[in-house]
Amino acid sequence: MNTVRLNVRVNRKRPESMTRQIREQLNALIDAGTLVAGSLLPSERELANTLKVARNVVRGAYEQLMDAGKLRSEGRKGRSVRSSSGKKSGKKKAAAKSTKTTKARKK
């Protein structure tokens, strides 16, 4: 998987925070299908340098998108776009695991 080149811009004169501007643009790219599931996003540092903003600004946008179920952490590889099923699949796996352990204990 290669990192995607993003067409994201920040306007310092707009009343919205730069974090919000980045989050909304990334969200729109994901919803439009421009960023497909599994696409790796640039690192916080890389995107921050490109946009000439503080790294915390990018981190905030990425974390908000993770909380919304749009992105997932790939550990040291970075962050990638989550499949459209989002958080739901994770809950099903967790429920299945707890059921298996309960069945194993009953035996």
Side-chain angles (χ1 to χ4, degrees):
M1 276 188 274
N2 289 335
T3 305
V4 184
R5 179 142 167 74
L6 299 176
N7 187 19
V8 176
R9 306 240 183 271
V10 173
N11 183 345
R12 295 172 191 274
K13 293 180 180 177
R14 285 183 49 192
E16 297 90 14
S17 71
M18 291 183 286
T19 299
R20 182 174 180 177
Q21 290 178 48
I22 295 167
R23 183 194 71 226
E24 288 178 353
Q25 289 176 63
L26 290 174
N27 197 29
L29 290 170
I30 293 168
D31 288 345
T34 306
L35 286 175
V36 295
S39 301
L40 276 177
L41 296 177
S43 69
E44 292 171 4
R45 180 172 284 132
E46 190 180 339
L47 187 56
N49 288 341
T50 302
L51 298 175
K52 295 179 176 49
V53 298
R55 192 167 153 201
N56 284 343
V57 171
V58 175
R59 178 179 296 143
Y62 280 2
E63 286 179 354
Q64 289 171 15
L65 287 167
M66 286 177 68
D67 290 343
K70 300 279 186 165
L71 301 180
R72 70 170 177 252
S73 176
E74 295 280 335
R76 293 182 59 92
K77 282 183 8 184
R79 292 186 177 94
S80 67
V81 178
R82 191 181 273 260
S83 63
S84 59
S85 59
K87 291 182 177 178
K88 294 176 186 173
S89 61
K91 288 182 181 175
K92 285 181 185 174
K93 285 180 187 173
K97 273 186 181 176
S98 64
T99 308
K100 284 181 185 176
T101 54
T102 308
K103 287 179 183 175
R105 287 184 192 144
K106 287 181 181 177
K107 288 182 180 178

